[in-house]
Amino acid sequence: MVSEQSPPPPPPKEVGEYELKEWARENEELEDQGPPREAKWWYSAFHTVTAMVGAGVLSLPNAMAYLGWGPGTFILVLSWCITLFTIWQMIELHEIVPGGTRFDRYYQLGQHAFGPKLGPWVVLPQQLIVQVGCDIVYMVTGGKCLKKFMEIACTDCTRLKQSYWICIFGSIHLFLSQLPNFNSVAGVSLAAAIMSLSYSTISWVACLSKGQVNNVSYGYKNTTPADNMFRVFNALGQISFAFAGHAVVLEIQATIPSTPSKPSKIPMWKGARTAYFITAICYFPVAMIGYWAFGQDVEDNLLLALKRPEWLIAAANMMVVIHVIGSYQVYAMPVFDMIENIFVKRLKFQRGFPLRLVTRSTYVGLTLFFGVTFPFFGDLLGFFGGFGFAPTSYFVRL
């Protein structure tokens, strides 16, 4: 299915004649080089689930431990409602300009709102913090869960360092990263979405069957006021990370065909509603039941607190691995596209497998390096949440 070519979005009136020509040329090139528009509404549903329901769901009980029942529940519900509203805004803005123009990338919408020069500087840093930050976190998470799975499944096997497992996990992406576009990773993304629902369900069901730990306490942790303040902000950052899927919404919608009678926002919004329903049945039971079972002593990864039955916990860890494989690719695809466009437009490289092999392998190698070097990177999510996750999901109004 081939869509009609669309004219570039009109820039602000202050743009000069030369900038106008550059604006039109660049957007026409991006339109020609965009992903095939063949996706259905359910593609957008599982791509959005894969992008949003990451391993961060397992840290929600820990965030509840620092916020408490009342504030924690309120923040979770409020975050779900606000981000559902903002994702609807993004979907509507995708074709806000009359004449069939489509903003297939986040920064294109930023250019339309703030101008060709200022727009990328407003949007790109935040988007890259989310995408690259999530990919590094998923490198670490995938390695940790692979290590946990092998320790449970093979008690007699030689124990490997966590850094080795991160390298094993990263090597998978050296192959998957060569898939050309979003449509080509649809199968991986679907498997990841199914896994996210599965391990979330296993987590809260295992907590229910285990019951409350002895002397469970729901009081605030006994820390200094300054430490408690930072931990509360970190908890808010963890929740922001859990709702960080907006950074790839426009890129997902770009794969859906659009006609005047049936614009892409109709199937995309249907997919987003489905994704948010799945998000709710993943997030709320894990956060509430995990906190109910362990109280203030809950681990920052709920699966680490569960010991029995071993086969089920091992299966859940492998499900997390499969899920973060898909999540890594969903967040990496827009970055790949951005890097390759720079090489093609500015350095006059030809598109194709050689360019993909070099640029994407380099990106995977860099995220792998940071994952091995900074295995505590996930602890910085609260810090990065204020810079990237919260703006792109909660209050960036383009």
Side-chain angles (χ1 to χ4, degrees), residues 293-355:
F294 294 97
Q296 66 176 7
D297 296 322
V298 65
E299 298 275 358
D300 58 359
N301 184 330
L302 187 58
L303 286 179
L304 298 179
L306 299 170
K307 308 297 183 183
R308 297 286 188 275
E310 289 188 347
W311 66 269
L312 190 62
I313 305 307
N317 276 279
M318 182 51 65
M319 290 175 184
V320 174
V321 172
I322 296 172
H323 173 74
V324 295
I325 287 174
S327 295
Y328 182 100
Q329 291 300 315
V330 168
Y331 278 106
M333 277 296 168
V335 182
F336 294 157
D337 181 71
M338 199 178 306
I339 295 172
E340 288 165 15
N341 279 333
I342 292 174
F343 275 88
V344 170
K345 290 193 304 180
R346 299 185 180 180
L347 303 178
K348 308 304 179 184
F349 279 75
Q350 294 295 319
R351 288 187 182 274
F353 178 74
L355 179 61

Side-chain angles (χ1 to χ4, degrees), residues 15 18-19 39 67 81 88 113 125 132 134 144 149 186 189 217 231 266 269 278 313 382 395:
V15 177
Y18 174 76
E19 291 173 314
L67 297 174
C81 294
W88 171 79
V132 180
C134 284
K144 283 183 176 179
F149 170 79
S189 182
S217 173
R231 290 182 182 275
I266 296 175
W269 176 232
I278 296 173
I313 305 307
F395 49 81

Side-chain angles (χ1 to χ4, degrees), residues 49-368:
V49 170
T50 300
M52 187 167 294
V53 187
V57 65
L58 300 174
S59 68
L60 290 179
N62 183 257
M64 291 284 292
Y66 287 102
L67 297 174
W69 278 116
T73 304
F74 174 75
I75 293 297
L76 274 177
V77 174
L78 183 65
S79 294
W80 190 89
C81 294
I82 289 177
T83 55
L84 178 61
F85 173 68
T86 54
I87 201 172
W88 171 79
Q89 284 187 315
M90 296 293 292
I91 293 169
E92 290 290 321
L93 289 171
H94 187 259
E95 295 173 309
I96 192 174
V97 176
T101 296
R102 301 181 65 169
F103 297 113
D104 288 345
R105 293 158 182 83
Y106 211 141
Y107 73 87
Q108 288 180 317
L109 190 55
Q111 287 178 311
H112 176 70
F114 302 112
K117 292 184 177 180
L118 180 61
W121 290 102
V122 173
V123 172
L124 276 180
Q126 299 175 53
Q127 187 183 21
L128 288 174
I129 285 174
V130 174
Q131 293 168 339
V132 180
C134 284
D135 280 343
I136 296 173
V137 171
Y138 290 149
M139 275 289 183
V140 178
T141 303
K144 283 183 176 179
C145 291
L146 265 180
K147 181 175 182 289
K148 183 70 174 178
F149 170 79
M150 286 303 299
E151 288 177 349
I152 297 175
C154 184
T155 56
D156 297 329
C157 295
T158 303
R159 295 288 190 264
L160 296 179
K161 293 181 180 179
Q162 180 176 296
S163 57
Y164 294 165
W165 289 111
I166 295 175
C167 290
I168 293 171
F169 179 80
S171 65
I172 298 172
H173 293 289
L174 290 174
F175 298 96
L176 290 179
S177 64
Q178 304 310 316
L179 297 172
N181 53 51
F182 260 119
N183 288 339
S184 60
V185 298
V188 178
S189 182
L190 175 60
I194 295 171
M195 292 300 103
S196 65
L197 180 59
S198 300
Y199 72 71
S200 299
T201 304
I202 288 174
S203 299
W204 67 261
V205 169
C207 287
L208 271 182
S209 62
K210 177 183 177 65
Q212 293 175 306
V213 298
N214 295 329
N215 302 318
V216 63
S217 173
Y218 302 111
Y220 292 108
K221 290 180 180 287
N222 187 19
T223 60
T224 64
D227 183 60
N228 187 63
M229 179 185 69
F230 282 112
R231 290 182 182 275
V232 167
F233 280 118
N234 188 66
L236 295 175
Q238 289 176 325
I239 294 175
S240 298
F241 173 66
F243 290 94
H246 289 50
V248 292
V249 167
L250 294 180
E251 286 82 357
I252 294 172
Q253 191 171 351
T255 64
I256 300 176
S258 184
T259 62
S261 60
K262 190 177 180 181
S264 63
K265 64 181 181 181
I266 296 175
M268 183 64 191
W269 176 232
K270 184 177 181 180
R273 294 200 311 268
T274 303
Y276 259 75
F277 172 75
I278 296 173
T279 299
I281 63 178
C282 289
Y283 283 14
F284 293 109
V286 170
M288 306 295 183
I289 298 174
Y291 182 47
W292 167 82
F294 294 97
Q296 66 176 7
D297 296 322
V298 65
E299 298 275 358
D300 58 359
N301 184 330
L302 187 58
L303 286 179
L304 298 179
L306 299 170
K307 308 297 183 183
R308 297 286 188 275
E310 289 188 347
W311 66 269
L312 190 62
I313 305 307
N317 276 279
M318 182 51 65
M319 290 175 184
V320 174
V321 172
I322 296 172
H323 173 74
V324 295
I325 287 174
S327 295
Y328 182 100
Q329 291 300 315
V330 168
Y331 278 106
M333 277 296 168
V335 182
F336 294 157
D337 181 71
M338 199 178 306
I339 295 172
E340 288 165 15
N341 279 333
I342 292 174
F343 275 88
V344 170
K345 290 193 304 180
R346 299 185 180 180
L347 303 178
K348 308 304 179 184
F349 279 75
Q350 294 295 319
R351 288 187 182 274
F353 178 74
L355 179 61
R356 290 205 307 269
L357 181 63
V358 174
T359 57
R360 299 185 181 196
S361 298
T362 302
Y363 176 83
V364 172
L366 289 174
T367 55
L368 174 59

